[in-house]
Amino acid sequence: MKREIKTTNDGSKTLYINGLNENYHSHHGALQEAEHVFIKNGLNLINDCEINILELGFGTGLNVLVSINEYLKTDKNHKINYYTLEKYPINESEINDLAYFELFDNDELKNIYQKIHQSNWDNLIEIVPGFNLKKIKCDFFTLKDIDLPKINLVYFDCFGARVQPDLWEKPLFEMVSEKMNVNGLLTTYSSKGSVRRILKELNFNVEKKQGPPGKREMINAWKL
């Protein structure tokens, strides 16, 4: 489908899919949303020495970049393995136009951004010391067949239920749950009542949290 670059309200860019009338990120702010949902209410809540992250889906790579940026601020006494699924990778022109590294006051991130996007699919690659990335080109519903370590943290960042309702139903959440460690965290921008009910049925402790700018609520769900 045809995509175009749009600038969101915080000055960061996103992709817009004309045929679906859907943005990859909130129009209120792509960077703000990523940092609020997946860093403040995700990565910063996990204290394991080795953190295995599963992302659905890779999209523009912004969530990987904000995760690495946060990791570089720490004492790096822990290790992160980041597994991200994507069926329809974006192209080189879109990667260059998004230029997310320009949003950060860290000169390292330009090379890191390029390495994220240039790394081979289906290989675990060290992006910076202690932070490994594996991009997996696949349909989300093949997750059950993908060999992963037990996951501590899930970034559930699928397109919205208006355009892809099947991604917000029980079968996919069951597959995700089966890949997770006990006490693992699933974080998502969604606050749908149906999603909360599904996660509770799957034995998660579900918390409604304050949403990112422009959104009242979001969900954190801890696997029991």
Side-chain angles (χ1 to χ4, degrees):
M1 289 191 180
K2 184 180 178 183
R3 297 182 292 238
E4 62 181 271
I5 303 282
K6 287 196 170 186
T7 300
T8 66
N9 291 350
D10 68 358
S12 58
K13 296 175 183 177
T14 191
L15 288 174
Y16 172 75
I17 304 175
N18 292 275
L20 297 177
N21 187 28
E22 180 80 351
N23 289 319
Y24 273 60
H25 307 94
S26 168
H27 69 272
H28 296 285
L31 179 61
Q32 288 180 153
E33 179 185 50
E35 292 184 328
H36 181 88
V37 176
F38 302 112
I39 303 303
K40 180 181 177 181
N41 290 289
L43 185 57
N44 288 348
L45 303 180
I46 306 297
N47 297 313
D48 300 81
C49 294
E50 183 165 0
I51 302 172
N52 295 315
I53 298 174
L54 171 63
E55 178 188 36
L56 293 84
F58 176 69
T60 64
L62 179 58
N63 293 337
V64 181
L65 192 65
V66 296
S67 298
I68 293 176
N69 182 59
E70 190 66 20
Y71 177 71
L72 293 174
K73 296 176 186 177
T74 70
D75 56 18
K76 303 180 190 66
N77 285 334
H78 63 293
K79 177 182 178 182
I80 295 179
N81 301 306
Y82 194 114
Y83 303 89
T84 180
L85 312 184
E86 180 61 53
K87 188 175 182 180
Y88 301 109
I90 65 174
N91 61 48
E92 185 176 356
S93 174
E94 292 166 331
I95 292 165
N96 293 336
D97 288 344
L98 288 166
Y100 284 134
F101 59 88
E102 295 177 350
L103 301 171
F104 302 89
D105 186 23
N106 183 344
D107 293 339
E108 288 183 78
L109 289 180
K110 181 176 182 179
N111 289 334
I112 290 169
Y113 180 74
Q114 292 171 342
K115 191 170 183 179
I116 287 168
H117 287 284
Q118 291 170 1
S119 64
N120 292 332
W121 289 82
D122 300 310
N123 291 328
L124 189 64
I125 306 293
E126 185 177 74
I127 304 297
V128 298
F131 192 109
N132 300 310
L133 171 67
K134 186 174 185 178
K135 301 184 300 184
I136 304 169
K137 189 175 179 181
C138 68
D139 186 283
F140 292 164
F141 287 96
T142 66
L143 176 59
K144 62 181 180 299
D145 301 319
I146 297 172
D147 185 25
L148 295 172
K150 281 296 185 181
I151 298 297
N152 311 96
L153 175 60
V154 174
Y155 293 174
F156 201 91
D157 197 23
C158 305
F159 284 132
R162 179 183 63 83
V163 296
Q164 287 194 298
D166 57 328
L167 301 183
W168 299 91
E169 295 172 354
K170 192 171 183 178
L172 184 56
F173 283 110
E174 282 183 311
M175 292 181 208
V176 171
S177 176
E178 287 170 4
K179 298 294 183 182
M180 294 177 67
N181 231 336
V182 174
N183 299 320
L185 170 64
L186 182 151
T187 184
T188 181
Y189 65 85
S190 175
S191 60
K192 282 172 61 66
S194 60
V195 172
R196 296 198 304 272
R197 289 190 292 274
I198 288 167
L199 290 168
K200 288 177 181 177
E201 287 175 21
L202 294 173
N203 204 31
F204 283 82
N205 179 26
V206 180
E207 303 171 347
K208 286 193 291 186
K209 310 278 282 189
Q210 181 180 342
K215 188 168 179 60
R216 189 164 61 90
E217 294 176 337
M218 56 164 284
I219 293 173
N220 269 183
W222 297 88
K223 183 174 178 179
L224 300 175

